[in-house]
């Protein structure tokens, strides 16, 4: 299982397909086999962007994750039923990206 496959599975929420391909569907074995780092995930996003539909970069009324450039820095939040949840603000994009990844993509997978 190469790192590109890992990153694309994590960002696309397709871990079960990866587990099926390499571990006969055993998610526990997949979870203990991650070799990708957060730095590598960030580098991938900086080069390729997030998969379409997973993170929005402009304010709108749709539910989901938002990562926005603001006047004094960056913020990310989750919006549900038009209400902003878990809003966090940062001075730098890299800090905001790191926090968003930890919260929604990497923490439960124990990737650092």
């Amino acid at each position: 299982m190469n790192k590109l496959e890992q990153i694309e599975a994590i960002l696309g929420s397709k871990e079960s397909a990866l587990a099926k391909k390499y571990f006969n569907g055993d998610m526990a074995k997949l979870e203990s086999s991650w070799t990708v780092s957060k730095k590598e995930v960030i580098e991938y996003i900086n080069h390729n962007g997030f998969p379409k539909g997973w993170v929005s970069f402009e304010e709108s009324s749709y539910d989901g994750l938002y990562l926005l450039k603001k006047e004094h820095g960056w913020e990310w939040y989750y919006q549900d039923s038009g209400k902003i949840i878990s809003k966090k603000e940062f001075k730098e994009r890299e800090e905001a990206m790191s926090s968003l990844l930890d919260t929604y993509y990497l923490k439960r997978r124990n990737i650092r």
Side-chain angles (χ1 to χ4, degrees), residues 48-62:
N48 300 291
F50 272 98
K52 291 203 182 294
W54 289 97
V55 176
S56 298
F57 299 94
E58 296 177 6
E59 292 182 72
S60 78
S61 60
Y62 296 110

Side-chain angles (χ1 to χ4, degrees), residues 2 9 13 26 34-35 44 74 76 85 98 109 111:
N2 68 47
S13 213
D26 188 332
W34 295 119
T35 59
Y44 174 92
W74 289 82
W76 70 257
I85 302 168
S98 179
R109 295 171 182 94
I111 295 173

Side-chain angles (χ1 to χ4, degrees), residues 35-91:
T35 59
V36 69
S37 70
K38 179 168 61 172
K39 180 180 178 189
E40 291 166 321
V41 173
I42 290 172
E43 288 171 357
Y44 174 92
I45 293 167
N46 287 340
H47 187 262
N48 300 291
F50 272 98
K52 291 203 182 294
W54 289 97
V55 176
S56 298
F57 299 94
E58 296 177 6
E59 292 182 72
S60 78
S61 60
Y62 296 110
D63 290 346
L65 282 171
Y66 288 81
L67 178 62
L68 305 172
K69 172 77 171 121
K70 293 297 192 173
E71 189 174 318
H72 300 292
W74 289 82
E75 70 181 29
W76 70 257
Y77 58 83
Y78 183 79
Q79 184 168 292
D80 186 24
S81 299
K83 294 183 177 153
I84 294 175
I85 302 168
S86 301
K87 181 177 174 181
K88 296 191 179 188
E89 299 176 357
F90 302 88
K91 291 189 186 273

